[in-house]
Amino acid sequence: MLHPEEIYLVLRNKTLLLELKEQINDYHISYLSMINDQLSLIEHALKECNVDSFTMSKG
């Protein structure tokens, strides 16, 4: 189980990755698969801890 501080960091990383994904241009398209892999790992970790982004953003 993740501690609240760790959950915060995971969600922060997710937010940063999503922002980066939005800024990717054609020259950096190869990074999209790495970003998507990281986002998938984050989502899986949050599901394992029964945490969703909506709950944490309210809390």
Side-chain angles (χ1 to χ4, degrees), residues 12-56:
R12 184 172 160 262
N13 286 340
K14 178 181 176 183
T15 300
L16 292 172
L17 284 169
L18 288 170
E19 289 173 5
L20 180 62
K21 187 176 177 180
E22 289 178 6
Q23 296 175 11
I24 295 255
N25 59 33
D26 292 339
Y27 296 108
H28 299 99
I29 199 88
S30 61
Y31 292 114
L32 278 178
S33 65
M34 291 189 314
I35 291 171
N36 287 333
D37 289 345
Q38 291 299 309
L39 288 169
S40 177
L41 289 172
I42 288 171
E43 286 299 320
H44 181 72
L46 292 173
K47 284 180 186 174
E48 287 291 317
C49 295
N50 292 320
V51 174
D52 61 38
S53 300
F54 180 75
T55 300
M56 289 306 293

